[in-house]
Amino acid sequence: MGRCIYGGIYDPASHLADENGFRKDVIEAIKDLDVPVVRYPGGNFVATYHWEDGIGPKEARKSRQASSALLVEETLTFPARPELAWLGTESNRFGTDEFMRWCRIVGTEPYLCLNFGTGTLDEALNWIEYCNGTRDTYYANLRRKYGNAEPYRVKYWGLGNEVWGPWQVNQMTKEAYAERAHQWAKAIKLLDPSVSLILCGETGHSSWDHYVLKHAIENIDMHSIHIYTAATRHLPNVTAPLCAERSIEITSSLIDLARVESGTPPTKPKPLICFDEWNVWDPERAVGSEGAEERYSLSDALAVAVWLNVFVRQAQHLGMANIAQSVNVISPLMTTPEGIRKQTTWWPLWLFSRYMRGTTLGLHLTCGLWEGETQPGWIRGAMRTPWLDASAAIDDEGTINIAVVNISDEEDIEVELLGLSGQCHIYIVTGQGPGVLMDPEGKG
């Protein structure tokens, strides 16, 4: 989608690229966040993606496409395919092997999403064998042939993406998806019992989530939900991420219900929630088919901080949470020919990544409430919206870190911290007003 991979992560024509074609400035920024896992290849894109088009050395990919001994210009020799999610073209210059190499360099773990649109179970099993196979079998040997003797050991595999959506190629009903996911999961676990399979949920508060969990919970390890928030006015914008908090709570209850109804033994670990797409995104402001390149304001940065507070508070229910996306596309990072620009939303993400690690601590918060409009509207009837939004964590060394968001665009709020002592360091993200943007150089 847009410039996330080509022109973002992978840009061999750039003077900032390394010998692999990876943007070095992007690598350093992702390293600075200490990202534990990255999802690929998405996203709606995956519904027509065929992984074998993008494996092996570039020369091998070129020779597969060439119809004679004479190779045409390199840009035409890759198995380029129409990309139907965003009506682009996938060149397949970046594929599985490049992604694994990039993950190793960044120091992150890969998470691959399977094609539930035009893909088949055979294709999925072959991809898992290619990535994880250790035996003397065809796809494991193909990986070895392409220069990767050791398996990639990909742990996380998604059973499709948003297959409930009318925008999807081969949209499915909840009944059809639950049956297919159950059968695919059973086969995948036979091939590689070590993998963690992620069921395709919706928002966590839908009948889709209830049904697919009830009928496909047996062999899954996490349940995926997606939510994006945005509002044109500041207070609805900054409180919108609270809908994710209620969605996490509902999803966790639906998982419990599915386990009860299916008679799951209590000794079997409870599936966690994989919140593998979240962010502030206004599709009218940043159109997906045009690259979805948002310009984020201070209000958006505060909304991201509330999102992150939600994840800290609800950490017991979460297996992972993945901001969408990493570079250029509704992203805190933007690349230019000269370098990288960090948007307003980068700073809360960086602070949480650096400091909010360890174990969640309970907080008792006393403050006033904002009682105006919410977006979505159901937040108002489901939960409170205090002027301060907060979370806390204690790290392995015993240091307590607290994140507090003042959502007011008019008043400072003095905070009294009780029960703590010792030295205190304070980091502040602020600006002249909620609509302020970073300038083109990434400065406030």
Side-chain angles (χ1 to χ4, degrees):
M1 182 179 180
R3 295 192 304 123
C4 182
I5 298 294
Y6 303 111
I9 285 173
Y10 181 76
D11 192 3
S14 171
H15 70 281
L16 297 170
D18 66 10
E19 66 276 11
N20 299 298
F22 305 151
R23 285 278 298 242
K24 292 182 286 188
D25 51 353
V26 172
I27 287 173
E28 291 309 309
I30 301 296
K31 280 184 174 181
D32 199 23
L33 292 177
D34 195 14
V35 175
V37 62
V38 174
R39 178 174 177 249
Y40 171 85
N44 298 336
F45 168 85
V46 78
T48 58
Y49 178 68
H50 298 284
W51 68 273
E52 286 192 71
D53 288 339
I55 59 169
K58 298 291 196 296
E59 295 77 12
R61 273 173 254 179
K62 288 191 291 184
S63 64
R64 286 202 301 272
Q65 180 72 2
S67 59
S68 69
L70 296 176
L71 292 176
V72 295
E73 185 181 347
E74 181 174 323
T75 55
L76 300 179
T77 56
F78 292 98
R81 308 289 188 195
E83 189 279 296
L84 301 184
W86 307 105
L87 303 181
T89 299
E90 172 53 48
S91 71
N92 285 297
R93 290 177 294 160
F94 184 99
T96 301
D97 299 306
E98 286 77 20
F99 179 60
M100 297 301 166
R101 189 175 303 119
W102 184 84
C103 285
R104 283 199 300 265
I105 292 170
V106 170
T108 192
E109 193 166 355
Y111 162 17
L112 296 179
C113 189
L114 297 170
N115 178 351
F116 259 58
T118 59
T120 65
L121 176 56
D122 268 345
E123 185 179 18
L125 292 171
N126 294 342
W127 200 7
I128 294 167
E129 181 193 334
Y130 182 86
C131 290
N132 294 357
T134 58
R135 291 182 284 176
D136 184 15
T137 55
Y138 177 80
Y139 283 99
N141 287 334
L142 190 60
R143 184 197 67 241
R144 296 181 183 109
K145 175 184 175 182
Y146 289 152
N148 299 286
E150 295 300 316
Y152 293 132
R153 296 184 178 87
V154 178
K155 179 179 180 181
Y156 301 109
W157 294 85
L159 298 171
N161 171 78
E162 294 184 3
V163 294
W164 44 268
W167 51 85
Q168 288 297 325
V169 173
N170 197 15
Q171 177 191 7
M172 302 178 75
T173 65
K174 58 183 181 293
E175 294 83 4
Y177 173 76
E179 175 60 22
R180 192 179 190 196
H182 174 67
Q183 296 300 334
W184 279 42
K186 182 170 61 175
I188 290 168
K189 290 285 189 174
L190 288 171
L191 176 65
D192 188 347
S194 72
V195 300
S196 181
L197 294 181
I198 299 163
L199 192 66
C200 176
E202 189 177 345
T203 58
H205 55 267
S206 74
S207 59
W208 173 283
D209 295 282
H210 180 205
Y211 188 92
V212 301
L213 277 166
K214 180 178 180 179
H215 294 277
I217 197 169
E218 181 180 353
N219 289 305
I220 63 104
D221 303 280
M222 283 193 270
H223 180 75
S224 165
I225 59 176
H226 293 176
I227 293 177
Y228 294 95
T229 63
T232 55
R233 295 194 300 117
H234 169 65
L235 287 169
N237 187 51
V238 79
T239 54
L242 294 176
C243 72
E245 186 141 35
R246 194 71 185 101
S247 295
I248 291 169
E249 294 168 341
I250 292 170
T251 306
S252 183
S253 296
L254 291 176
I255 292 171
D256 286 338
L257 180 60
R259 282 165 60 85
V260 170
E261 292 183 336
S262 65
T264 302
T267 53
K268 186 175 183 179
K270 177 183 174 179
L272 296 173
I273 296 165
C274 179
F275 216 128
D276 53 12
E277 287 191 31
W278 69 270
N279 204 346
V280 175
W281 179 23
D282 181 348
E284 294 184 2
R285 187 173 65 189
V287 180
S289 60
E290 298 174 3
E293 297 197 4
E294 280 268 24
R295 283 202 70 193
Y296 285 118
S297 66
L298 176 60
S299 178
D300 299 324
L302 297 177
V304 165
V306 173
W307 264 108
L308 295 167
N309 273 339
V310 167
F311 294 143
V312 174
R313 290 194 295 262
Q314 298 297 326
Q316 64 177 323
H317 302 303
L318 295 169
M320 70 171 80
N322 313 67
I323 189 171
Q325 295 180 16
S326 54
V327 190
N328 289 328
V329 180
I330 52 172
S331 173
L333 292 173
M334 305 296 293
T335 61
T336 70
E338 293 75 34
I340 201 165
R341 179 168 61 86
K342 296 173 179 176
Q343 300 218 66
T344 58
T345 55
W346 165 267
W347 302 108
L349 188 62
W350 182 83
L351 286 168
F352 273 79
S353 297
R354 173 135 322 179
Y355 296 107
M356 300 299 286
R357 294 180 179 268
T359 303
T360 298
L361 291 178
L363 284 178
H364 181 77
L365 175 66
T366 302
C367 69
L369 299 175
W370 178 63
E371 298 177 336
E373 173 196 354
T374 61
Q375 190 169 330
W378 61 259
I379 292 176
R380 176 57 56 233
M383 58 203 312
R384 294 177 176 179
T385 51
W387 288 109
L388 296 179
D389 188 88
S391 68
I394 183 168
D395 66 21
D396 294 338
E397 297 178 353
T399 300
I400 294 174
N401 295 290
I402 301 174
V404 181
V405 182
N406 176 9
I407 69 169
S408 174
D409 55 350
E410 296 180 349
E411 294 185 15
D412 293 334
I413 299 177
E414 185 174 315
V415 176
E416 183 181 8
L417 296 176
L418 302 177
L420 297 176
S421 61
Q423 191 177 19
C424 178
H425 299 277
I426 298 174
Y427 302 89
I428 299 175
V429 177
T430 189
Q432 295 178 341
V436 69
L437 305 169
M438 304 295 279
D439 69 20
E441 282 69 47
K443 299 176 181 179

